[in-house]
Amino acid sequence: MSAHQLCIEQLDVSYGKRRIIEQLSLTGVCHGEVTALLGPNGSGKSTLLKAIAGLTPARGQVLLDGADLLTASYASRAERVVYLPQSLPASVHLRVFESLLVARRASGNTSRQQDIDEARALLERLGIAHLAMSFLDQLSGGQKQLVGLAQALIRKPVLLLLDEPLSALDLNYQYHVMDVIGQETRERNMVTLIVLHDINISLRQTDRVLMLKGGQLIAHGAPDQVIDPASLARVYGVRGRVERCSQGSAQVMIDGLV
């Protein structure tokens, strides 16, 4: 087991007496890779991200490059880990460009001109430069998700945790955002975990897949090795198959329920 990756050892997370994640262990989540978290509703995907981010009590170990995030101070964890929830707070009356500068300065000593240049570049890269002077509380749900991603990326995390960042986006932006996330992950050598519901996007645009059900890890590995009829039946309760389209891309076809 390499120290230069994200490793989880015997992680337990409970809400009251209800255990959400049970004895979850994981290795091989590497820098420079996008890892998708897949599973049905209530399988523990969002809870796992929150536990890694230190937002919900957990037992066990979450090791990022050998350092345990669960015992780290809030300040040291915030320097390395950024968690993006499904939606931004609704009542923040701040311009988009200002919100990026605030997010960048929250990460430590910065140069004002460099912050401005990076904010502009990120907005351009995400295709939302036209929103720079708009107020956050006047944006649509999809626009807020894009701004939230920009806020997360400008903080330059080592570990990026994204909870359903595509849920309010149209088809064009879903693929555009996944391209940007992949490029940023590789260029910055980040560890990126992303909760997704679209299995075909996971199959085509992520490096690894974790499949969860009932708070337990069912499968972990390369998408084309993990996503198969057996795992689709076990995790989702559907009869499915993976086929190649006319251009050679893999896609999941669902034939019915198990």
Side-chain angles (χ1 to χ4, degrees), residues 12 14 21 23 29 63-64 74 83 93 122 133-134 141 143 153 157-158 160 162 189 212 219 224 228 238:
D12 282 314
S14 299
I21 294 176
Q23 293 291 291
V29 181
L63 304 173
L64 179 60
Y74 173 82
Y83 165 76
H93 190 67
L122 264 176
M133 301 310 293
S134 300
Q143 290 171 335
L153 290 172
V158 177
L160 179 62
L162 304 173
N189 201 32
L212 301 178
D224 58 355
D228 59 19
V238 297

Side-chain angles (χ1 to χ4, degrees), residues 6 49 52-54 64 69 74-83 152 155-161:
L6 177 69
L49 290 193
I52 294 172
L64 179 60
L69 296 177
Y74 173 82
S76 63
R77 187 168 57 241
E79 287 178 358
R80 309 186 70 203
V81 181
V82 170
Y83 165 76
R155 291 178 58 185
K156 300 183 178 180
V158 177
L159 173 59
L160 179 62
L161 307 171

Side-chain angles (χ1 to χ4, degrees), residues 194-212:
I194 177 171
V195 173
L196 294 173
H197 279 295
D198 191 315
I199 298 176
N200 282 318
I201 286 181
S202 304
L203 189 60
R204 297 179 184 184
Q205 293 192 271
T206 65
D207 301 294
R208 303 185 75 81
V209 165
L210 310 179
M211 299 188 85
L212 301 178

Side-chain angles (χ1 to χ4, degrees), residues 76-188:
S76 63
R77 187 168 57 241
E79 287 178 358
R80 309 186 70 203
V81 181
V82 170
Y83 165 76
L84 180 64
Q86 294 182 29
S87 60
L88 294 178
S91 60
V92 177
H93 190 67
L94 191 67
R95 294 190 190 276
V96 167
F97 199 83
E98 294 173 327
S99 75
L100 265 66
L101 297 181
V102 170
R104 180 69 189 101
R105 290 165 192 163
S107 298
N109 295 329
T110 63
S111 161
R112 178 171 176 78
Q113 188 57 53
Q114 183 179 357
D115 295 346
I116 291 172
D117 293 342
E118 290 182 359
R120 285 175 177 161
L122 264 176
L123 292 177
E124 289 282 355
R125 195 163 191 179
L126 287 167
I128 53 173
H130 62 287
L131 298 177
M133 301 310 293
S134 300
F135 287 101
L136 290 174
D137 55 0
Q138 297 174 348
L139 301 180
S140 69
Q143 290 171 335
K144 287 181 180 178
Q145 281 190 319
L146 293 168
V147 173
L149 179 58
Q151 291 173 355
L153 290 172
I154 203 168
R155 291 178 58 185
K156 300 183 178 180
V158 177
L159 173 59
L160 179 62
L161 307 171
L162 304 173
D163 194 354
E164 296 191 47
L166 310 183
S167 61
L169 302 181
D170 62 37
L171 190 60
N172 180 286
Y173 265 112
Q174 287 179 18
Y175 280 86
H176 177 61
V177 164
M178 287 303 300
D179 284 343
V180 171
I181 290 172
Q183 292 166 9
E184 293 286 330
T185 298
R186 291 187 292 273
E187 290 174 6
R188 302 185 188 196

Side-chain angles (χ1 to χ4, degrees), residues 1 5-12 21 23-29 37 48-49 51-52 59-64 68-70 193 210 217:
M1 180 176 67
Q5 59 182 8
L6 177 69
C7 302
I8 299 174
E9 297 182 3
Q10 298 184 322
L11 186 71
D12 282 314
I21 294 176
Q23 293 291 291
L24 190 150
S25 293
L26 171 69
T27 60
V29 181
L37 272 63
L48 176 59
L49 290 193
I52 294 172
R59 292 182 298 174
Q61 287 187 313
V62 177
L63 304 173
L64 179 60
D68 191 355
L69 296 177
L70 297 189
L193 289 181
L210 310 179
L217 182 63

Side-chain angles (χ1 to χ4, degrees), residues 233-252:
R234 183 179 180 186
V235 174
Y236 292 101
V238 297
R239 289 185 293 109
R241 50 199 161 86
V242 180
E243 295 190 351
R244 297 280 173 180
C245 71
S246 60
Q247 295 187 351
S249 298
Q251 58 184 355
V252 173

